[in-house]
Amino acid sequence: MKILLTCLLLFLNLSNSTNFEPEKMSPQETKLLNNINAYRKSKGLNPIQNSPNLNLVAQLHVKELQEAPPEGKCNMHSWTGKFGEKPCCYTSDHKEAACMWSKPSEFSSYKGNGYEIAAFNTDSDVDWLAQWKESPGHHAVIINLKNWKTIRWNAIGIAIREPYAVVWFGEETDPVKGN
């Protein structure tokens, strides 16, 4: 009976993964949000509203990256299933992109797709935005170039836990007001 009860509690805990709460943004994360929006403004683009739901997804993912870095062909957009979500092996050919895009709805009330940029850097004083600006694919997401040209970002979530930083972008407005 004790084993059955333990298994039931574990199942309930894992199946109730949307009960996570986002942490308050750190000064470093707030600075990155402000820098991204200032950079977008310099390019004639609208700022993106901070999203508590996408912050939560970013915080969970960066924590997972710290605890279980991707291995083999799976890159930094992959998820192991550690928080009860569906595992996702995101590869460089982008064939499994949809498994990453759906993560916001697995953890939060954000029902739109989420699109992530991620970075790894061991420098203690890293400029994450500068690093992403050097990467054509990441830069395109930040300022809506190439495949992202017709998309308008209405939500953004950020998490930094060295040596990782992730930013999630979404087209839908977050139903929860940002901080």
Side-chain angles (χ1 to χ4, degrees):
M1 182 67 166
K2 187 175 182 179
I3 293 173
L4 181 60
L5 182 59
T6 302
C7 289
L8 179 61
L9 290 173
L10 180 61
F11 172 76
L12 289 173
N13 188 35
L14 291 177
S15 65
N16 204 10
S17 62
T18 59
N19 284 338
F20 293 108
E21 291 291 327
E23 299 171 12
K24 183 176 167 70
M25 289 181 75
S26 72
Q28 187 182 21
E29 292 162 345
T30 300
K31 179 181 176 185
L32 179 55
L33 172 64
N34 293 338
N35 288 346
I36 288 172
N37 278 332
Y39 180 59
R40 287 176 55 81
K41 183 177 180 183
S42 77
K43 299 292 185 184
L45 299 167
N46 292 329
I48 310 169
Q49 181 66 43
N50 180 43
S51 161
N53 281 306
L54 292 182
N55 282 341
L56 171 64
V57 175
Q59 291 163 4
L60 291 171
H61 196 213
V62 80
K63 181 176 171 135
E64 181 170 286
L65 287 168
Q66 281 183 314
E67 294 176 12
E71 297 177 348
K73 64 181 181 171
C74 303
N75 67 27
M76 284 193 290
H77 302 300
S78 300
W79 292 73
T80 64
K82 176 178 181 61
F83 298 108
E85 81 281 6
K86 295 174 193 163
C88 169
C89 179
Y90 195 108
T91 55
S92 59
D93 61 10
H94 307 288
K95 287 185 178 178
E96 298 298 326
C99 74
M100 182 260 288
W101 298 341
S102 65
K103 292 304 172 206
S105 65
E106 288 183 46
F107 294 111
S108 72
S109 61
Y110 191 87
K111 297 307 174 202
N113 284 337
Y115 306 92
E116 180 187 52
I117 59 173
F120 173 88
N121 196 314
T122 57
D123 292 343
S124 59
D125 193 29
V126 63
D127 180 341
W128 298 105
L129 179 57
Q131 183 171 332
W132 282 314
K133 286 163 84 174
E134 295 295 318
S135 166
H138 293 107
H139 189 239
V141 174
I142 294 167
I143 59 169
N144 301 97
L145 298 174
K146 301 178 183 173
N147 296 349
W148 309 99
K149 190 173 183 102
T150 61
I151 292 176
R152 178 183 167 107
W153 299 132
N154 289 302
I156 188 171
I158 296 174
I160 301 170
R161 305 289 184 278
E162 293 179 5
Y164 298 99
V166 300
V167 179
W168 283 77
F169 297 86
E171 295 177 78
E172 306 295 324
T173 302
D174 193 328
V176 178
K177 298 291 183 212
N179 52 345

